Amino acid sequence: MSRASLVLVVNAGSSSLKYQLLDPTVGATHATGIVERIGVDGHLRQVAGDVEHEQDVACPDHGTALDAALTAMRDHGPGFDPDSLLAVGHRVVHGGEEFGQPVVIDESVIQAVTELAPLAPLHNPANLKGIEATTHAFPRIPQVAVFDTAFHHTIPPSAHTYAVPREWRDKHGVRRYGFHGTSFAYVSRRAATLLDRPVDEVNLVVLHLGNGASACAVREGQSVETSMGLSPLEGLVMGTRSGDVDPSLGAYLARVAGLDPGDYDEALNRRSGLKGLTGDSDFREVQSRRSRGDADAGLAFDVTVHRLLKYTGGYAVLLGRVDALVFTGGIGENSPELRAAVMEGLGLLGLELDETANADGEPERKVTSAQSRVPAYVIPTNEELEIARACLEVLGAAGTQGAD
């Protein structure tokens, strides 16, 4: 292996910069951290091996936030050496119809991601800030964009087409795109390994459940349907997002409540979901309140489960055969109660819960009994490792290298 063997994975938000330094060939993480409150009064948190480090940092922009992260890795981590970098991998939320694979970033890619910003106004511009910062810091290191939407490029037209006027579809790109693709790609391959079968032979229903949540039907290793649509708002109940509502709701509220489009969009994205049902967006708090008999929390839990059952059952019919059900994401990995409720409702598919395995065990484990016709797994996602491995693939494993 050459001296350049590490990948720096960057996930830039509007006021945050998440990062991981990984060796994708062996799956080792050297450091992971986040710089928050960029532009205000920045704060950095990092874990490198057994060393946890926190500090307040002055970072008026993403460039200074990156400098703080690099300094933390040098001073409180693995001893960062730019010559060790093979690539910088960027999570880019929306690749539209153009990007179905990871790509090396050049001016044309930057222009395309910029033009796609109306489809992801909170995410793509922030992702571009991360790209700008790392390109300035490492001008000779390949920068690779890995798109959240790319895994869903295999969804057929029958599934991604909305029944809306052609002008909307052709001129404005109105269609289902789907998100969480990097997570679904990683988890699907890992599930195939646990099933001891090639990924292109397995059919899966994967539930990525966190503050943002979506479901995906995976046929022979490829996405054929997913619950998020034009934006991450469609589909399941989420922390602050409503998921599915009647499309006439916006016009109705404009008539009866004078709600303008901006307020409506803000309400469905930031004040709905669990928060709209209970006042709390944290699923752990909702579960705690439910256990104490709180009626609002009980309803929120039931609505969440109902939506999951509706999507999972529909995807099972669509696939024709389900080889495994997979739970991932913060809630999917850490809520035995939710998993049990979902699997109880899917008895028709032959799922039989192993209560002991579901309640406790290794982070990655099977949670169904030996008698279950369909196995269910908890598989912690690793989007950063998936992005790092995608960098290797797009660079030809050892083709395009960093500085000599």
Side-chain angles (χ1 to χ4, degrees):
M1 183 182 297
S2 70
R3 190 162 47 121
S5 60
L6 303 182
V7 175
L8 177 64
V9 175
V10 173
N11 180 0
S14 58
S15 60
S16 66
L17 185 81
K18 295 179 182 178
Y19 62 93
Q20 279 198 22
L21 184 65
L22 305 101
D23 184 340
T25 59
V26 297
T29 299
H30 291 237
T32 180
I34 181 171
V35 184
E36 299 177 286
R37 304 198 300 264
I38 296 173
V40 187
D41 52 351
H43 185 76
L44 180 147
R45 289 182 286 117
Q46 177 180 282
V47 176
D50 296 329
V51 179
E52 296 186 17
H53 173 70
E54 286 196 54
Q55 70 179 101
D56 292 326
V57 291
C59 48
D61 53 37
H62 285 71
T64 52
L66 177 66
D67 290 341
L70 299 177
T71 299
M73 284 191 284
R74 278 193 296 264
D75 296 348
H76 306 280
F80 180 76
D81 176 6
D83 287 342
S84 69
L85 278 186
L86 174 70
V88 180
H90 294 268
R91 178 191 181 228
V92 179
V93 167
H94 217 306
E97 296 187 62
E98 184 169 350
F99 297 107
Q101 298 291 335
V103 293
V104 176
I105 297 170
D106 58 19
E107 285 302 320
S108 67
V109 172
I110 290 173
Q111 180 62 32
V113 172
T114 301
E115 291 173 357
L116 289 166
L119 290 170
L122 299 179
H123 296 97
N124 275 28
N127 302 153
L128 287 167
K129 290 179 181 178
I131 293 169
E132 180 183 9
T134 57
T135 301
H136 178 76
F138 310 112
R140 299 177 62 194
I141 303 296
Q143 311 278 323
V144 177
V146 181
F147 298 90
D148 259 12
T149 50
F151 184 68
H152 302 299
H153 264 238
T154 51
I155 292 177
S158 59
H160 73 59
T161 303
Y162 290 131
V164 297
R166 179 179 292 276
E167 181 184 5
W168 296 3
R169 291 180 275 130
D170 292 348
K171 186 176 181 179
H172 302 295
V174 174
R175 52 159 287 178
R176 179 180 307 282
Y177 291 100
F179 300 87
H180 291 141
T182 308
S183 175
F184 288 130
Y186 175 85
V187 169
S188 296
R189 280 200 288 271
R190 186 65 196 148
T193 298
L194 295 176
L195 291 166
D196 195 24
R197 296 171 63 179
V199 69
D200 60 2
E201 292 182 5
V202 298
N203 287 4
L204 308 166
V205 176
V206 184
L207 304 177
H208 178 111
L209 309 178
N211 190 55
S214 65
C216 185
V218 179
R219 177 186 292 132
E220 298 175 351
Q222 296 186 329
S223 174
V224 294
E225 177 62 287
T226 191
S227 57
M228 286 180 170
L230 174 74
S231 78
L233 181 60
E234 188 179 356
L236 305 177
V237 176
M238 304 175 229
T240 63
R241 299 179 200 143
S242 63
D244 294 339
V245 295
D246 188 321
S248 71
L249 179 61
Y252 171 74
L253 289 171
R255 291 195 303 272
V256 303
L259 202 66
D260 68 38
D263 290 338
Y264 176 71
D265 185 70
E266 191 272 340
L268 288 191
N269 276 286
R270 300 187 184 278
R271 294 188 283 116
S272 297
L274 297 176
K275 188 172 183 64
L277 292 169
T278 69
D280 279 309
S281 61
D282 190 321
F283 193 75
R284 293 167 297 186
E285 181 60 28
V286 172
Q287 286 190 135
S288 177
R289 286 172 51 182
R290 174 176 176 261
S291 70
R292 301 193 300 270
D294 185 290
D296 287 342
L299 176 62
F301 185 91
D302 292 344
V303 171
T304 299
V305 170
H306 177 85
R307 194 79 56 87
L308 285 165
L309 292 176
K310 185 167 72 169
Y311 271 93
T312 304
Y315 288 177
V317 171
L318 179 70
L319 291 170
R321 183 195 80 245
V322 178
D323 297 312
L325 172 67
V326 183
F327 294 89
T328 193
I331 297 170
E333 296 165 27
N334 295 299
S335 177
E337 297 88 350
L338 182 69
R339 293 193 300 264
V342 169
M343 282 190 276
E344 181 181 356
L346 294 172
L348 185 67
L349 300 182
L351 284 151
E352 184 176 310
L353 182 69
D354 181 328
E355 294 184 3
T356 301
N358 184 51
D360 194 21
E362 294 295 321
E364 180 179 277
R365 63 195 188 277
K366 186 165 80 167
V367 292
T368 41
S369 71
Q371 291 75 39
S372 185
R373 294 201 308 270
V374 175
Y377 292 94
V378 176
I379 301 178
T381 192
N382 195 333
E383 294 171 272
E384 291 79 13
L385 180 57
E386 183 69 20
I387 290 171
R389 288 175 173 168
C391 290
L392 287 189
E393 291 177 11
V394 77
L395 297 177
T400 307
Q401 297 285 328
D404 294 331

